[in-house]
């Protein structure tokens, strides 16, 4: 029996870690290469560590290091020194900024809207700034930049998240007001896409779920339960771009945002490498996310998948630079590179054999009382008391819908 220890690096959340742990517990030992494999899950605590300490973990799933730097440095240490498998490695995640992903996607020929990075509005807190800025900062014409991009446009931090500092700009007055308010934030100006559909895709290892997203709605209504809301071509393209960007940066747990207008797919945010997987936001899609996280973790550990800290940009750029290839053909080549990186075929075989019982097991769990308790506890911890009944009913309804759809799917299979 080979034992694997999975560590969870967490902030305030309790819902998905409980779900993840429970599914693994119900799954029990898994047969795979080298015999039987067993899994333990633990929450990682934050404490002093010697840089030469050996960690207890074979894998760490991180939802914390994007803002808490002590564990981020621990992740770097265990990635470099101990070969711990990380979702995601801080060397490869750029969730502190979206800029690198824009650059990579433009270099690969994707339709990122026109984007300009402008210098800080206010002096940043560094005593060399005044001298450096006086000597090297060129005066620039903000209006001319905006005019060239064209209104409406978005002004948003190059390293944004959670809508911090994001504004939609319709004219020069709004432009200056937003820039003046940006202070010490470094801002992108980006052409606004007047989209038909906002698709948000959650990628976990070799799998991607594309969901219809409604950014103007409150958190619990942002993911709409709607299937086939994209044409087959646009759907395939959204999935391919997600896999491509993730394979390019070695992200294995990420959520991506794309705007779809007619037949065109515009990526706008591909760097959320500590993605939200809360029960209250994912609702209907939560069982899929938890199951997939378990599948990918088990697959990686049982097959001895090695974490990759290097990126192989040249392999991707070679496709981008191939003169004879159309956009669609490039996507096809990118898809092959991404599937090779994620070992997609082997993963699918592994799920179909070693994890064949998982679908039914998760369905039984979501149908039963343990899951309902988790749902109720989660609502009680997230919402004020007077909203408990409303949100418990809301989530139960959506999860019943999932149970119905999943039962139909399994019966047909
Ligand atoms: N180029 C664009 N065209 C149209 N809408 C945009 C564009 N850029 C951003 N938006 C809108 O602004 C929202 C926030 O932008 P963005 O995703 O870049 O910021 P964020 O801080 O990462 O937000 P989140 O945490 O929700 O992902 C998007 O969900 C979208 O509705
Ligand atoms: Mg975003």
């Amino acid at each position: 029996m080979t034992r694997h220890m999975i560590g969870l690096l967490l902030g305030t959340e309790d819902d998905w870690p409980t779900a993840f742990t429970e599914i693994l517990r119900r799954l029990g030992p898994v047969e795979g290469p080298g015999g039987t494999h067993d899994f333990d899950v633990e929450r990682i605590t934050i404490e002093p560590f010697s840089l030469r300490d050996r960690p207890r973990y074979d894998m760490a799933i991180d939802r914390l290091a994007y803002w808490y730097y002590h564990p981020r440095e621990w992740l770097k240490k265990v990635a470099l020194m101990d070969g711990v498998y990380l979702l995601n490695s801080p060397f490869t995640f750029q969730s502190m900024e979206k800029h690198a992903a824009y650059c990579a996607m433009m270099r690969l020929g994707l339709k990122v809207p026109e984007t300009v990075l402008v210098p800080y509005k206010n002096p940043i807190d560094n005593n060399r700034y005044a001298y450096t800025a006086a000597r090297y900062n060129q005066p620039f014409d903000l209006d001319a930049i905006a005019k060239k991009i064209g209104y409406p446009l978005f002004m948003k931090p190059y390293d944004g998240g959670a809508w911090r500092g994001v504004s939609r700009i319709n004219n020069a007055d709004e432009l200056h007001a937003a820039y003046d308010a940006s202070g010490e934030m470094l801002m992108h100006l980006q052409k606004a896409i007047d989209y038909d559909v906002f698709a948000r895709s959650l990628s976990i290892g070799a799998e991607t779920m594309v969901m219809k997203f409604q950014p103007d709605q409150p958190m619990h209504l942002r993911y709409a339960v709607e299937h086939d809301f994209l044409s087959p071509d646009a759907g395939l393209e959204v999935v391919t771009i997600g896999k491509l960007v993730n394979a390019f940066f070695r992200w294995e747990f990420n959520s991506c945002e794309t705007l779809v207008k007619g037949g065109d797919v515009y990526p706008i945010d591909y760097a959320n490498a500590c993605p939200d997987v809360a029960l209250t936001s994912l609702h209907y899609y939560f069982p899929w996310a938890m199951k997939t996280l378990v599948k990918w973790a088990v697959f990686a550990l049982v097959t001895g998948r090695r974490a990759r800290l290097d990126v192989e940009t040249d392999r991707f750029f070679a496709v981008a630079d191939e003169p004879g290839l159309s956009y669609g053909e490039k996507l096809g080549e990118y898809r092959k590179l991404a599937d090779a990186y994620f070992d997609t075929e082997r993963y699918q075989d592994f799920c179909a054999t070693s994890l064949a019982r998982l679908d039914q097991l998760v369905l039984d769990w979501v149908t039963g009382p343990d899951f309902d308790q988790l749902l109720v506890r989660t609502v009680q911890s997230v919402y004020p008391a007077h909203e408990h009944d409303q949100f418990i009913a809301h989530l139960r309804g959506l999860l019943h819908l999932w149970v119905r759809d999943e039962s139909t799917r399994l019966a047909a299979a």
Side-chain angles (χ1 to χ4, degrees):
M1 178 91 81
T2 312
R3 291 191 84 79
H4 303 276
M5 176 65 89
I6 301 173
L8 307 180
L9 202 45
L10 303 170
T12 54
E13 68 265 53
D14 214 28
D15 55 343
W16 79 262
T18 304
F20 178 82
T21 307
E22 180 61 14
I23 296 173
L24 262 183
R25 188 189 70 75
R26 290 177 178 229
L27 178 66
V30 172
E31 294 305 319
T36 309
H37 298 253
D38 211 6
F39 306 89
D40 284 320
V41 187
E42 236 180 52
R43 293 167 188 223
I44 300 171
T45 50
I46 297 163
E47 49 197 293
F49 60 89
S50 157
L51 277 59
R52 289 200 175 83
D53 282 349
R54 287 283 302 152
R56 302 162 46 72
Y57 307 101
D58 302 298
M59 171 179 275
I61 303 176
D62 163 47
R63 282 264 311 132
L64 182 60
Y66 71 101
W67 68 270
Y68 198 153
Y69 298 152
H70 182 278
R72 183 189 294 181
E73 298 312 311
W74 179 84
L75 286 172
K76 290 180 186 167
K77 169 247 177 321
V78 301
L80 277 179
M81 297 182 65
D82 309 302
V84 175
Y85 199 99
L86 302 180
L87 302 179
N88 289 289
S89 158
F91 292 110
T92 63
F93 85 54
Q94 317 277 332
S95 55
M96 54 286 264
E97 52 97 346
K98 341 177 122 97
H99 183 83
Y102 285 153
C103 297
M105 290 191 287
M106 287 183 189
R107 176 72 177 82
L108 296 173
L110 305 185
K111 299 171 186 169
V112 178
E114 182 58 18
T115 306
V116 173
L117 184 69
V118 290
Y120 293 106
K121 167 66 190 178
N122 292 348
I124 51 168
D125 183 18
N126 184 315
N127 58 21
R128 289 162 297 190
Y129 180 82
Y131 177 83
T132 307
R135 189 154 178 198
Y136 297 112
N137 276 27
Q138 291 283 4
F140 65 95
D141 183 347
L142 189 63
D143 291 291
I145 295 170
K147 234 179 237 149
K148 191 157 175 226
I149 294 173
Y151 292 107
L153 55 84
F154 274 79
M155 188 181 300
K156 49 189 192 176
Y158 84 111
D159 59 347
W163 285 67
R164 174 179 54 86
V166 177
S167 40
R168 185 183 161 97
I169 312 271
N170 296 298
N171 53 49
D173 288 346
E174 290 174 11
L175 175 74
H176 287 280
Y179 187 53
D180 290 347
S182 70
E184 293 181 44
M185 286 187 289
L186 196 52
M187 303 303 267
H188 279 139
L189 305 187
Q190 184 173 77
K191 177 149 193 64
I193 303 295
D194 169 28
Y195 57 88
D196 307 324
V197 191
F198 190 127
R200 188 157 175 146
S201 40
L202 178 60
S203 291
I204 301 173
E207 290 192 53
T208 297
M209 177 64 75
V210 182
M211 295 165 280
K212 182 169 173 183
F213 196 65
Q214 309 174 131
D216 309 333
Q217 297 283 334
M219 212 59 199
H220 68 283
L221 296 175
R222 290 211 184 144
Y223 291 103
V225 179
E226 206 177 307
H227 311 299
D228 306 321
F229 61 94
L230 293 175
S231 69
D233 285 349
L236 185 68
E237 187 170 339
V238 169
V239 171
T240 297
I241 296 175
K243 282 177 184 277
L244 163 63
V245 176
N246 289 328
F248 183 91
F249 283 110
R250 312 311 197 196
W251 294 328
E252 306 202 343
F253 187 29
N254 190 19
S255 74
C256 308
E257 297 172 6
T258 33
L259 305 177
V260 182
K261 168 86 179 161
D264 290 314
V265 172
Y266 300 94
I268 58 152
D269 184 2
Y270 270 67
N272 297 296
C274 288
D276 171 25
V277 285
L279 171 58
T280 46
S281 38
L282 287 185
H283 51 76
Y284 178 94
Y285 299 101
F286 184 76
W288 172 84
M290 290 303 107
K291 185 163 47 173
T292 308
L293 201 53
V294 165
K295 282 154 76 176
W296 185 251
V298 168
F299 169 73
L301 289 169
V302 168
T303 60
R305 183 176 163 85
R306 296 266 302 145
R308 297 280 296 273
L309 300 181
D310 58 325
V311 287
E312 299 173 300
T313 52
D314 283 350
R315 301 184 62 195
F316 294 91
F317 293 160
V319 174
D321 296 342
E322 189 61 58
L325 294 182
S326 68
Y327 176 70
E329 287 165 338
K330 283 181 188 174
L331 286 183
E333 293 304 310
Y334 291 145
R335 181 63 177 252
K336 286 184 206 157
L337 288 174
D339 280 332
Y341 173 69
F342 286 110
D343 213 353
T344 304
E345 216 171 299
R346 185 155 172 238
Y347 168 77
Q348 284 164 349
D349 284 349
F350 180 82
C351 293
T353 52
S354 295
L355 298 179
R357 62 191 184 282
L358 192 62
D359 281 337
Q360 189 61 49
L361 178 156
V362 171
L363 180 58
D364 293 343
W365 171 63
V366 176
T367 313
D370 288 1
F371 183 85
D372 193 61
Q373 264 172 31
L374 172 66
L375 184 154
V376 170
R377 265 206 322 273
T378 302
V379 168
Q380 288 168 346
S381 70
V382 171
Y383 295 102
H386 69 278
E387 292 179 352
H388 289 174
D389 289 349
Q390 174 203 340
F391 280 107
I392 289 169
H394 173 75
L395 277 176
R396 276 184 182 151
L398 287 160
L399 269 304
H400 282 154
L401 187 62
W402 179 82
V403 165
R404 200 197 62 193
D405 290 352
E406 180 70 354
S407 305
T408 310
R409 187 181 75 85
L410 293 187

